[in-house]
Amino acid sequence: MKKIFGLFLVFNLVFVLCACESETNAEKDGMISATREIFAMDTYMTVTAYGENADKAVEAAEKEIYRLDSLLSTGNTDSEVYKINSTGEGSLSEDTEKLIEKSEWIYENTDGAYDITVYPLMDLWGFTGDKQAVPDDEDIKRVADVCGFDKLTYADGFIKLGENMGIDFGGIAKGYTSDSIMRIFEEYNITSGIVSLGGNVQCCGNKTDGSMWKCGITDPDNHNDTGSLMGVISVSDKAVITSGGYERFFTDEKSGKTYHHIMDPKSGYPAESGLKSVTIVSRDGTLADGLSTACFVMGKERALDFWRKNSDKFDMVLMDDNRKIFVTEGIAKDFTSEYDFEIVKKRQNCDNS
Amino acid sequence: MKKGILKRVKYDIFLVGILITVGAAVLLTAVFNGQGGEYVCIKTDGEVSAVYPLTENRRVVINGANGTNLLVIENCQAYISEADCPDKLCVRQGKISMKGQSVICLPHRIVVEITGQEQKDNSDIDVIVK
């Protein structure tokens, strides 16, 4: 009898041990993951990482977001950018210097379609605050004349702005931040993760099942309905960033005309280039962010010409005002849509020759 | 007589042993069935506003009808850790982890429920770019 009783005790022990074991295994199989939701840079962000250090990695990412926000904010009186804008000059930290260099590259290579000096124009139109209105033509011309990256100088970590100038990294800061988070993920040996900084997405590696991340691109005409997409792009280790006039806009009461927030630095008016949205896919989040704005301003033909010269750096999905979708060939096989789309080749067809 | 009592005690112990074994087996099944499938479904004003896997640690700010609640998903358990509602009943409802369990904040019209399936459109999409 004692033996049988002893046997039962052993059974019970084994059961309890199994129960503990199965719990830890289940956690391992399901991959440890951590997600943070953060309100910063005037938007809502989510950061997710998978792996053993997931918790630590997302915590470090959150800190980095707050650090960059306090450095680059145009409204925070303690920020480096605020100080530069209010005094017209200032020393550049490592981060702002990198941002200036990247901004200059995009400015020069897109013929000024992306310009960090449009800040006074954004301010004039009211896009830096809550109240937007169409300014007088004269005011627009006056302020547009002040803008231009070529009117600022920087060297040896010091920047000097021209009269009444102002800079804003708003069109590139979120991409730079997601780039930084990817580096943090690497430091913590995270091989799978995804961040969305107010809809600007950057993916680390693949999903935990080894498949690519599926990023749904918002339909510009149905942007309030998250179920409505213009297409889906599958990526690994890439940033996917969209710019469109549907993001921020206002309607002028007098004319009934709608004005969006993407300024054409040359005209001083919101860009009317015939595009509804531009989605850039690139390993470089900072570049993707800046180029989404630049290509939107340039319009389809100029954007595609620019892509042909730089197709090693990025790919893109365009939707024009007639809802026609164009996808560059580098990502065409990873793009799906319920609508028809045209694949743009690097080499134009030579039918005539 | 003494021997008889001893025998009966032994049988009792035997019976207790069986009960413990069955109990452990039931517990084990519950643990196995409980892993992996659950989601935390958040409903505000009766509508599903978000669904998260129970296995992913996270903190979510829920914007309810008259205020906000902080939902924490941690170690396969979900609970409201903070809220600005007057009665704080949701905070006192504690941690939930089993399918069908829920925490409700009436003043904010928020229901946090453990469900068996992800209830989301475009469920194969990982993220929306906008």
Side-chain angles (χ1 to χ4, degrees):
Chain A
M1 215 35 163
K2 264 185 186 169
K3 272 184 188 168
I4 295 174
F5 178 59
L7 211 64
F8 268 113
L9 275 183
V10 170
F11 265 132
N12 283 333
L13 199 67
V14 167
F15 265 124
V16 171
L17 284 178
C18 279
C20 296
E21 183 76 4
S22 75
E23 238 178 342
T24 47
N25 276 345
E27 226 176 281
K28 229 182 256 174
D29 292 341
M31 274 291 252
I32 297 167
S33 77
T35 298
R36 288 278 164 111
E37 314 207 351
I38 301 146
F39 289 90
M41 298 184 177
D42 296 324
T43 193
Y44 166 74
M45 307 174 162
T46 57
V47 177
T48 302
Y50 297 86
E52 263 183 46
N53 300 322
D55 259 321
K56 285 182 200 157
V58 293
E59 197 181 325
E62 187 178 9
K63 277 188 190 153
E64 177 72 353
I65 289 169
Y66 290 136
R67 185 184 73 81
L68 289 172
D69 192 14
S70 62
L71 193 71
L72 305 172
S73 160
T74 50
N76 179 353
T77 51
D78 291 327
S79 84
E80 201 175 310
V81 170
Y82 184 89
K83 282 173 192 159
I84 292 169
N85 284 343
S86 52
T87 61
E89 59 183 29
S91 43
L92 297 167
S93 64
E94 200 186 324
D95 293 290
T96 40
E97 187 153 26
K98 275 188 210 158
L99 279 164
I100 290 267
E101 282 166 6
K102 188 73 96 182
S103 302
E104 187 178 29
W105 187 90
I106 302 173
Y107 173 84
E108 285 179 345
N109 287 277
T110 61
D111 195 23
Y114 171 74
D115 194 337
I116 53 167
T117 69
V118 293
Y119 185 61
L121 271 173
M122 294 294 277
D123 207 28
L124 181 69
W125 281 82
F127 283 113
T128 54
D130 298 327
K131 276 191 176 176
Q132 288 96 37
V134 183
D136 292 337
D137 284 346
E138 272 180 32
D139 287 338
I140 289 173
K141 202 180 171 306
R142 180 176 50 81
V143 175
D145 282 345
V146 171
C147 302
F149 195 102
D150 51 343
K151 295 187 187 76
L152 70 80
T153 52
Y154 76 97
D156 306 323
F158 196 83
I159 186 169
K160 208 166 165 29
L161 305 181
E163 192 94 356
N164 298 321
M165 269 182 99
I167 57 167
D168 179 7
F169 293 114
I172 199 169
K174 289 201 278 289
Y176 183 79
T177 306
S178 54
D179 269 340
S180 299
I181 295 172
M182 293 302 123
R183 276 196 297 278
I184 288 170
F185 280 2
E186 208 181 322
E187 279 169 34
Y188 284 90
N189 293 319
I190 300 295
T191 50
S192 178
I194 188 164
V195 299
S196 170
L197 311 185
N200 286 23
V201 171
Q202 194 154 352
C203 308
C204 166
N206 283 322
K207 286 197 268 184
T208 51
D209 65 3
S211 65
M212 294 165 103
W213 297 99
K214 284 191 169 178
C215 308
I217 303 171
T218 300
D219 188 326
D221 294 310
N222 298 295
H223 56 274
N224 289 324
D225 175 9
T226 49
S228 180
L229 303 171
M230 72 176 247
V232 177
I233 180 79
S234 300
V235 297
S236 53
D237 268 325
K238 278 187 182 142
V240 184
I241 297 177
T242 297
S243 276
Y246 60 88
E247 294 167 293
R248 278 168 71 200
F249 58 87
F250 70 95
T251 307
D252 182 38
E253 281 175 15
K254 279 184 222 157
S255 64
K257 202 179 168 203
T258 298
Y259 296 89
H260 61 72
H261 73 297
I262 305 175
M263 287 291 145
D264 181 342
K266 296 232 167 74
S267 71
Y269 283 83
E272 287 182 53
S273 62
L275 291 175
K276 273 184 196 277
S277 97
V278 174
T279 301
I280 305 288
V281 179
S282 172
R283 274 181 199 285
D284 184 337
T286 317
L287 183 76
D289 203 0
L291 285 187
S292 66
T293 307
C295 291
F296 185 91
V297 171
M298 285 195 281
K300 186 190 139 210
E301 292 312 322
R302 276 176 66 201
L304 288 178
D305 281 345
F306 175 72
W307 167 75
R308 286 193 180 92
K309 285 177 207 150
N310 296 280
S311 58
D312 57 325
K313 294 187 183 70
F314 75 102
D315 272 287
M316 61 183 171
V317 181
L318 308 174
M319 185 191 254
D320 73 8
D321 285 347
N322 302 318
R323 290 188 60 81
K324 267 195 91 176
I325 299 170
F326 302 88
V327 184
T328 58
E329 66 178 336
I331 51 167
K333 66 175 187 349
D334 301 319
F335 180 77
T336 56
S337 176
E338 59 182 285
Y339 305 107
D340 290 336
F341 60 90
E342 190 182 315
I343 297 170
V344 182
K345 296 250 161 73
K346 200 179 161 190
R347 286 187 187 166
Q348 281 163 305
N349 289 336
C350 306
D351 295 339
N352 302 333
S353 59
Chain B
M1 196 63 183
K2 261 189 175 178
K3 232 182 180 179
I5 289 171
L6 211 65
K7 211 174 181 182
R8 214 176 286 167
V9 169
K10 272 184 180 173
Y11 274 121
D12 283 349
I13 292 170
F14 185 62
L15 199 69
V16 168
I18 290 175
L19 286 176
I20 290 173
T21 311
V22 170
V26 168
L27 191 77
L28 199 66
T29 321
V31 166
F32 268 124
N33 287 346
Q35 287 293 332
E38 277 90 345
Y39 290 87
V40 181
C41 176
I42 302 167
K43 289 174 191 161
T44 46
D45 230 343
E47 285 194 15
V48 177
S49 58
V51 180
Y52 301 110
L54 188 59
T55 48
E56 291 178 9
N57 291 355
R58 74 175 79 210
R59 300 163 84 82
V60 185
V61 177
I62 309 171
N63 292 310
N66 306 300
T68 58
N69 303 46
L70 180 65
L71 169 72
V72 177
I73 305 174
E74 206 171 55
N75 304 325
C76 296
Q77 289 180 316
Y79 62 97
I80 302 287
S81 72
E82 284 173 50
D84 53 14
C85 53
D87 57 15
K88 306 276 191 289
L89 280 175
C90 50
V91 179
R92 281 161 47 191
Q93 283 172 50
K95 298 178 176 179
I96 55 171
S97 60
M98 304 284 277
K99 189 176 162 185
Q101 281 184 315
S102 62
V103 173
I104 297 164
C105 177
L106 277 181
H108 295 171
R109 298 181 188 186
I110 291 170
V111 178
V112 177
E113 198 180 3
I114 308 289
T115 59
Q117 274 183 337
E118 194 164 8
Q119 299 173 352
K120 210 163 88 179
D121 291 334
N122 287 318
S123 55
D124 61 330
I125 304 290
D126 300 304
V127 69
I128 306 286
V129 185
K130 54 189 175 187

